Amino acid sequence: MKLRLFQVDAFASRTFTGNPAAVVPLDRWLPDATMQEIAAENNLSETAFFVGEKGYFHIRWMTPVDEVDLCGHATLASAWVVFNEIENGRSEVHFRSRSGPLRVSALGDTLSLDFPSRPPEAAPSAIAALAEALGSRPGDVLASRDYLAVFETEDEVRALRPDMPKVAALDRMAVIATAPGRDCDFVSRFFGPAVGVPEDPVTGSAHCTLVPYWSRRLAKTSLFARQVSARGGELWCEDRGDRVTIAGRCVKYLEGTIELADA
């Protein structure tokens, strides 16, 4: 069996920036174990698999060690593959997922994700554990799917050197560290060692929590964000109540073929 494979840098305007995602379009679902092995072999933060046609697809995402319920950058990359490699000329694609319906629209070379909003709630009891895991005490801690550790300055977020085993031992999937940005509305970093992603370069799904938090705090609905990982990424976001829009660009890095002896 031969499968097409794309590696796309998401939330990037040039290669070697943003977050690389593997995208594997399928005619039918493979066994879960086989897809997990492919994701482990790719060894990127996420591999996206999707099945469907004519603008409507079912999508799943896997890290090298586990399946996750939502992934922004790999969805953006999957939409880029649909728009440019599978159904050229289309400007909107719909995905069915474990987190409900997701829509991606294209305007020029900018792709916009329509994702569910996941506002965080206060979690002050976790401050001590987060301070120990991150090596620096945040001013505030909130929680949704992930912990949200809020710092006063961008420099504090950039300087973090987390203790990954301690981050992995926390009772949430991952930790988002954030602060006001110097030349943007806010910055962030994302640490998910419990799901095989020590630090994710750019994390669309984290902005389902970041956008409602910063929209409320800054009293504005349109936000420009930077994820200040080593690769870095830029995201244009909008708070729309129970949904958020997260927009960025994609660049194809490679295209190839996966050969499976049996599946």
Side-chain angles (χ1 to χ4, degrees):
M1 176 181 291
K2 294 186 178 183
L3 306 173
R4 297 179 75 185
L5 168 69
F6 300 90
Q7 185 171 320
V8 177
D9 291 338
F11 298 112
S13 56
R14 61 180 179 85
T15 51
F16 311 119
T17 63
N19 199 350
V23 179
V24 183
L26 299 172
D27 295 325
R28 58 176 175 81
W29 290 119
L30 301 174
D32 287 0
T34 301
M35 292 193 293
Q36 189 62 71
E37 287 175 334
I38 292 171
E41 185 78 6
N42 290 336
N43 200 32
L44 296 173
S45 57
E46 268 91 11
T47 295
F49 303 88
F50 60 79
V51 173
E53 62 180 351
K54 298 180 180 178
Y56 289 85
F57 299 88
H58 183 189
I59 191 168
R60 296 171 65 183
W61 312 274
M62 292 184 177
T63 76
V65 300
D66 203 1
E67 184 169 5
V68 295
D69 68 340
L70 186 65
C71 177
H73 82 280
T75 304
L76 202 77
S78 296
W80 187 93
V81 170
V82 172
F83 294 147
N84 293 277
E85 303 288 348
I86 297 176
E87 298 182 356
N88 301 70
R90 189 174 295 282
S91 61
E92 186 171 277
V93 61
H94 298 260
F95 293 108
R96 181 164 54 91
S97 77
R98 282 171 46 177
S99 292
L102 310 172
R103 179 173 56 86
V104 186
S105 56
L107 181 61
D109 62 355
T110 300
L111 306 185
S112 297
L113 301 168
D114 175 20
F115 268 26
S117 179
R118 291 177 167 176
E121 297 182 355
S125 62
I127 288 180
L130 266 292
E132 186 174 354
L134 295 175
S136 181
R137 187 177 181 86
D140 197 9
V141 171
L142 302 92
S144 180
R145 179 194 70 178
D146 312 308
Y147 277 121
L148 182 66
V150 183
F151 291 87
E152 291 186 3
T153 68
E154 178 176 328
D155 288 340
E156 289 177 278
V157 172
R158 288 182 178 272
L160 291 174
R161 299 294 182 267
D163 183 321
M164 292 301 174
K166 291 181 179 178
V167 175
L170 295 168
D171 61 350
R172 299 281 170 157
M173 191 189 92
V175 175
I176 308 163
T178 191
R182 288 192 292 268
D183 63 350
C184 58
D185 291 305
F186 64 89
V187 299
S188 68
R189 292 174 69 188
F190 182 92
F191 308 107
V195 291
V197 185
E199 180 168 6
D200 199 29
V202 192
T203 316
S205 63
H207 289 74
C208 295
T209 297
L210 286 161
V211 170
Y213 172 80
W214 284 106
S215 176
R216 182 170 59 250
R217 178 167 162 175
L218 299 177
K220 58 191 296 188
T221 57
S222 294
L223 301 158
F224 174 54
R226 295 187 189 276
Q227 194 151 334
V228 291
S229 63
R231 289 175 64 98
E234 299 178 337
L235 307 93
W236 289 263
C237 309
E238 184 177 359
D239 183 359
R240 297 188 291 108
D242 62 349
R243 308 289 292 182
V244 296
T245 299
I246 307 161
R249 299 181 177 91
C250 288
V251 182
K252 182 171 72 172
Y253 172 65
L254 66 81
E255 179 180 353
T257 303
I258 299 171
E259 296 192 14
L260 300 179
D262 49 47

